[in-house]
């Protein structure tokens, strides 16, 4: 050892270098997760979300403008391509912005991703605005205002002819069911009436922006009328199935003292099931959810599959109805509501496509929850 005295200072130097490197790594990691980094990440994420809202509204406005101008029929190909590209960017933006909200992400990475996403979305907004200006110029040159007004009136008339008068459906619902069970249908009817009046007023004004305003109102009208039809159908289906659903779940709850509160909720819903079948179906679905969350005990895989198969129809009906209500009432809205609606659509599609009843039930319950949250946002 005496022949190698240089090993000691070399070793000390190596240890010092390694310690300094480790300390540097630790400081960098801490700084990437510090309160300041988290606040910077939140601020960048909010800016990305704002850019997404602007793009979503701009794409929606462009889509209406394309229809109102008649460019869907024989407009320039570049306008249609720009419209499709903007919609793709918007859809991708929803996926990416939702990912920014994932838990346990490193704040510094969230900030970097958010800055990148915001930049791309802001660029897309600028392109949409340029496309909208080009579209307006094309419409002024190729579509006289009188022609656009006539086309908007024709679209309104076609919408009314295709869907018919919702009053008989509403009256049938009111005679048979309590107002609490058809509240979303009542809201859709009011929205339809307001949209019809807005379309008529826009067309009567005969102003430069009247075709655009009338087209937007006609879309709201069509969405509302479709919602009323779907809600009427779901109410009748619930009324047809509710007694069987209640009887089945009562058998499954028998001998389950740990689920006495769920059984009580079903019993209370059964008392008003004739007038409030949709509420009763929802109570049954929630009771089944409680059963699934309870300890499995001696349930076999086959029993779990059969339980999921029994729970699936009612849960799908609840999810579909809740999503219809959220979409019918939606016209923009806060980002949380838009994200929830997007997620609910994906989950409901996954539930319908699933071949395994257990997986389908999980997706249907998630869709139901997200749709309810979207309505509440």
């Amino acid at each position: 050892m005496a022949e190698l005295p240089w090993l000691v200072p070399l070793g000390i130097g190596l240890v010092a270098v390694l310690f300094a490197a480790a300390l540097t790594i630790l400081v960098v990691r801490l700084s990437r997760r510090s309160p300041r980094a988290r606040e910077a990440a939140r601020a960048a994420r909010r800016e990305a979300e704002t850019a997404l809202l602007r793009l979503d509204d701009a794409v929606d406005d462009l889509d209406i403008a394309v229809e109102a101008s008649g460019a869907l029929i024989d407009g320039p190909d570049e306008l249609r391509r720009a419209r499709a590209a903007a919609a793709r960017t918007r859809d991708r933006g929803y996926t990416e912005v939702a990912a920014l909200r994932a838990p346990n992400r490193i704040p510094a990475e969230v900030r970097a991703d958010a800055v990148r996403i915001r930049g791309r979305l802001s660029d897309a907004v600028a392109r949409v605005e340029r496309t909208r200006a080009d579209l307006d110029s094309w419409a002024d040159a190729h579509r006289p205002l009188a022609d656009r007004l006539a086309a908007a009136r024709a679209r309104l008339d076609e919408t009314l002819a295709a869907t018919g008068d919702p009053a008989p459906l509403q009256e049938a619902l009111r005679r048979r069911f309590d107002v609490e069970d058809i509240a979303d249908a009542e809201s859709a009817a009011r929205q339809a009436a307001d949209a019809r009046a807005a379309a008529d007023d826009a067309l009567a004004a005969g102003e430069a922006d009247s075709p655009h305003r009338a087209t937007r109102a006609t879309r709201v009208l069509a969405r509302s009328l479709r919602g009323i039809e779907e809600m009427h159908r779901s109410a009748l289906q619930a009324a047809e199935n509710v007694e069987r659903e209640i009887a089945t779940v009562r058998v499954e709850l028998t001998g389950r003292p740990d689920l006495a509160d769920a059984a009580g909720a079903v019993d209370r819903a059964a008392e008003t099931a004739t007038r409030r079948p949709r509420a009763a179906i929802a109570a049954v679905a929630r009771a089944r959810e409680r059963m699934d969350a309870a300890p499995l005990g001696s349930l076999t895989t086959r029993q779990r599959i059969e339980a999921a198969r029994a729970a699936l129809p009612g849960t799908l009906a609840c999810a579909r109805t809740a999503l219809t209500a959220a979409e019918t009432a939606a016209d923009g809205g806060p980002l949380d509501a838009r994200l929830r609606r997007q997620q609910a659509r994906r989950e409901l599609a996954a539930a319908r496509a699933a071949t395994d009843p257990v997986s389908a039930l999980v997706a249907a319950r998630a869709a139901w929850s997200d749709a309810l949250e979207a309505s509440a946002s």
Side-chain angles (χ1 to χ4, degrees):
M1 296 295 294
E3 297 82 2
L4 300 173
W6 51 271
L7 285 177
V8 175
L10 179 60
I12 294 173
L14 287 173
V15 170
V17 169
L18 292 173
F19 178 77
L23 183 61
T24 300
I25 292 172
L26 179 61
V27 169
V28 170
R29 287 184 175 179
L30 289 175
S31 67
R32 285 161 58 85
R33 300 175 184 270
S34 67
R36 179 178 295 181
R38 287 195 294 271
E39 180 54 38
R42 282 192 293 267
R45 192 191 72 191
R46 285 193 294 268
E47 291 177 358
E49 292 173 347
T50 299
L52 176 59
L53 284 174
R54 289 179 58 212
L55 178 60
D56 196 11
D57 290 341
V59 169
D60 180 64
D61 190 72
L62 176 62
D63 193 53
I64 292 170
V66 168
E67 183 176 7
S69 68
L72 280 173
I73 300 172
D74 58 357
D77 289 341
E78 57 267 25
L79 287 179
R80 288 193 289 270
R81 287 195 294 268
R83 170 174 170 255
R88 287 194 298 271
T89 303
R90 185 266 317 274
D91 294 343
R92 179 183 174 188
Y94 268 107
T95 301
E96 293 181 326
V97 167
L100 294 176
R101 298 184 169 199
N104 302 323
R105 290 199 59 187
I106 297 173
E109 293 179 355
V110 171
R111 180 180 180 277
D113 288 346
V115 169
R116 174 180 52 80
I117 293 168
R118 184 205 61 193
R120 189 173 64 254
L121 296 177
S122 297
D123 289 344
V125 170
R127 289 194 298 272
V128 170
E129 290 173 347
R130 290 194 296 270
T131 301
R132 176 64 195 280
D134 292 342
L135 176 62
D136 290 344
S137 298
W138 179 88
D140 290 341
H142 296 85
R143 289 288 186 273
L145 177 58
D147 291 352
R148 283 179 275 155
L149 287 169
R153 169 59 69 182
R155 283 191 293 272
L156 175 59
D157 293 341
E158 289 169 4
T159 297
L160 293 171
T163 54
D165 184 3
L169 296 182
Q170 290 298 111
E171 185 58 32
L173 290 174
R174 292 177 188 132
R175 284 197 307 268
R176 186 168 178 181
F177 306 117
D178 286 349
V179 65
E180 293 87 353
D181 221 49
I182 60 170
D184 47 10
E186 293 287 309
S187 177
R190 291 190 295 271
Q191 182 171 275
D194 291 343
R196 170 70 187 277
D200 285 335
D201 290 346
L203 292 171
E207 297 169 345
D209 66 342
S210 289
H212 189 89
R213 288 161 47 207
T215 301
R216 180 182 292 277
T218 299
R219 288 191 172 196
V220 175
L221 173 63
R223 187 176 68 222
S224 301
L225 293 176
R226 287 194 301 270
I228 293 171
E229 290 180 347
E230 175 61 29
M231 294 164 193
H232 177 266
R233 182 164 47 250
S234 69
L236 295 184
Q237 289 175 345
E240 181 180 348
N241 297 325
V242 66
E243 291 186 5
R244 182 174 65 254
E245 290 273 356
I246 290 174
T248 301
V249 80
R250 276 174 165 166
V251 170
E252 295 173 12
L253 286 167
T254 300
R256 296 291 302 271
D258 56 322
L259 296 173
D261 55 343
V266 170
D267 290 340
R268 288 190 296 275
E271 295 173 359
T272 57
T274 301
R275 297 286 302 177
R276 300 190 63 188
R278 283 173 52 188
I281 291 288
V284 169
R286 291 190 178 97
R288 292 188 183 280
E289 193 169 1
R290 287 288 311 281
M291 282 190 285
D292 286 352
L296 296 177
S298 58
L299 283 180
T300 64
T301 299
R302 181 176 180 80
Q303 287 172 324
R304 289 195 292 274
I305 292 174
E306 291 300 322
R309 186 173 286 119
L312 188 57
T315 305
L316 275 174
C318 290
R320 187 174 61 250
T321 302
L323 182 55
T324 297
E327 290 179 330
T328 300
D331 192 9
L335 181 65
D336 284 346
R338 302 188 200 197
L339 288 171
R340 291 283 189 179
R341 288 195 298 269
Q342 291 271 11
Q343 185 65 18
R345 292 184 194 109
R346 288 193 291 266
E347 289 158 345
L348 188 56
R352 288 167 171 161
T355 56
D356 169 21
V358 175
S359 299
L361 182 60
V362 170
R365 284 173 175 164
W368 184 16
S369 175
D370 280 325
L372 291 175
E373 289 289 338
S375 294
S377 296

